[in-house]
Amino acid sequence: MNGSKAWAEAGGPVGRPDAPGALLPLLGTHGAAVAFFAGVADLDATDPASHELEEGIQLASGARLEQFARAGSGDAYCFVGEGGEERPVVYVSLDGQAGPLALGLPELVRLCLVAPWWRDAPGRTSEELRKVADEYRDDLPDLDLRRDRAARALGIDPADLPSGATALARLVELSRGPVAEACRVLGCEGDPLDALFDVARP
């Protein structure tokens, strides 16, 4: 194991996480980042070469859909189109749902840091979401410490993170705008997958 990788796995700062293309490697190798994202936020980027979408899953636009991480359930985090970490990110669920999560990996990272329970947001009220957040904190009393360590490992000042409410509002915004249409995912039979969020709600 080389020195930089060993230092990353030990949880020390590495390289320049603000450099283009630097976030994804850190999500899969830096100890503090892996501990939070794979262990708390259910975003595992430790072995991207093993990730492969189910055959037939594709974007309605015909653009490229590239899986880069997975959830424990097997759900997929995917980049849309060509380019780097600035590409839109779509979540594809094995339950037949899909939709945009962020315009770029940096935005997704911030969502997962402040609201790792985002999957519970569709259809829930603010009060219900507070209960979900409280349950996370009951299970992980050191959640804020883990979040701050992961943020710093990625070159993010925890003080600059958005609130959980802001991040979840952004998800709803993306699901109702033109991004949602550009990121529409078709299932194996060619039919559009259901939206992640209830876009009919005001």
Side-chain angles (χ1 to χ4, degrees):
M1 180 182 298
N2 63 45
S4 62
K5 184 175 181 182
W7 184 234
E9 292 181 349
V14 296
R16 287 186 55 220
D18 61 334
L23 273 178
L24 188 55
L26 289 179
L27 288 177
T29 61
H30 194 290
V34 172
F36 185 88
F37 284 89
V40 177
D42 200 19
L43 187 161
D44 186 350
T46 57
D47 188 15
S50 70
H51 303 156
E52 187 173 346
L53 281 170
E54 183 179 352
E55 187 174 354
I57 300 292
Q58 59 186 317
L59 286 169
S61 67
R64 182 184 183 194
L65 192 61
E66 177 190 352
Q67 184 174 352
F68 65 87
R70 67 184 302 164
S73 62
D75 295 352
Y77 293 87
C78 305
F79 285 126
V80 171
E82 303 293 336
E85 295 178 354
E86 79 286 351
R87 288 177 286 173
V89 176
V90 163
Y91 189 82
V92 181
S93 166
L94 294 180
D95 293 331
Q97 297 177 314
L101 295 184
L103 294 182
L105 188 58
E107 187 174 58
L108 175 66
V109 159
R110 286 165 172 79
L111 165 67
C112 291
L113 285 168
V114 300
W117 49 82
W118 66 263
R119 289 172 197 76
D120 293 310
R124 290 186 182 268
T125 65
S126 297
E127 182 178 349
E128 289 170 333
L129 286 175
R130 280 195 295 271
K131 291 179 181 178
V132 172
D134 289 343
E135 289 172 2
Y136 257 74
R137 294 185 181 282
D138 288 343
D139 292 338
L140 294 169
D142 61 345
L143 178 62
D144 289 346
L145 179 61
R146 292 190 188 198
R147 177 202 63 207
D148 291 354
R149 284 177 176 168
R152 292 190 180 100
L154 301 176
I156 300 169
D157 184 343
D160 293 335
L161 290 170
S163 68
T166 296
L168 293 176
R170 172 65 167 160
L171 283 181
V172 175
E173 176 189 347
L174 290 175
S175 70
R176 290 177 177 157
V179 174
E181 181 60 27
C183 295
R184 190 156 52 98
V185 179
L186 305 180
C188 300
E189 303 298 323
D191 296 321
L193 298 185
D194 293 334
L196 283 175
F197 291 82
D198 184 356
V199 295
R201 293 195 173 197

